Amino acid sequence: MKSLPLIFLGVFFTLAFSWTGIVLTTHIQMKDLTPATSELVNDKGEPIGGPTYKADGQIFMGENTPGMTAYPQALVGEAQRGKLVYQEMGCLYCHSQQVRREGFGSDFERGWGNRQSVARDYIESERIMLGTMRTGPDLANVGLRYSELWQYQHLYNPQITSPGSTMPPFPFLFEVQPVSETRGPSPDAIELPDDYHPGEGLELIPTQRARDLVAYMMSLQQDYELPEMKFTQ
């Protein structure tokens, strides 16, 4: 019992150092990041190549270029709800959302992105889905790589789009219904190969959860340049 205070102090300082190193230091470094245009201007409106330094050594990031769109942009509507579906379904346990620097791994060779992901890409995300491992492909740019139809087919049964995939199917995100005799096929019906079609006179309709999830997947597009990261870097 005499060593109890020493054990307590050891645990306390271990947690304190970990929190300071991982949480506090990161917050101090990233707290001032805001959506930015690909090029910045100085206080005279003149383009600057990137972050500059004042005489006192403080970093000056410049201002966004007027008339240019600043990125990243916050999710809205279906895409915003779809992120919750992504989270509920546990997609982040098999998929990452971060393109590694060229030369570190084979993300560029696999076509997963045209530039490295950086901290600013995630500042509009209340919860960041970086992922824990890569059982499946990285999804940082999945909205650029595939169409909406591909996303629906892949969720319904991955074997349609990716034969041999180990990803489980998610048929519960869809409903099979009879084709209306008066209105004909629904405009929302998902086109399927014959081997996966629900049957004559039937059609496959995505639920609202499927629509939200696909909207979120299509929103995953790091197709913009930032002051600190260009496509050529």
Side-chain angles (χ1 to χ4, degrees), residues 32-88:
D32 294 328
L33 288 177
T34 59
T37 55
S38 60
E39 304 294 340
L40 300 176
V41 296
N42 60 22
D43 54 358
K44 299 178 181 178
E46 300 167 336
I48 57 177
T52 57
Y53 294 86
K54 297 180 179 178
D56 59 4
Q58 290 187 341
I59 190 170
F60 172 70
M61 287 295 295
E63 303 292 337
N64 289 337
T65 302
M68 292 184 68
T69 303
Y71 293 97
Q73 297 184 328
L75 296 176
V76 296
E78 287 186 332
Q80 188 177 31
R81 295 197 303 267
K83 184 176 180 180
L84 297 178
V85 179
Y86 184 92
Q87 180 180 327
E88 293 167 358

Side-chain angles (χ1 to χ4, degrees), residues 96-119 121-122 130-141 145 222 229-233:
S96 60
Q97 291 186 23
Q98 50 180 321
V99 179
R100 290 177 292 188
R101 183 184 308 173
E102 190 171 14
F104 288 76
S106 55
D107 293 10
F108 282 66
E109 290 76 7
R110 292 178 176 179
W112 289 350
N114 294 321
R115 65 166 176 81
Q116 173 193 350
S117 300
V118 294
D121 287 314
Y122 308 99
L130 291 180
T132 58
M133 62 175 64
R134 280 180 168 175
T135 304
D138 185 84
L139 302 181
N141 288 292
R145 302 205 301 266
Q222 293 177 357
M229 186 52 58
K230 310 295 184 185
F231 292 135
T232 54
Q233 291 178 289

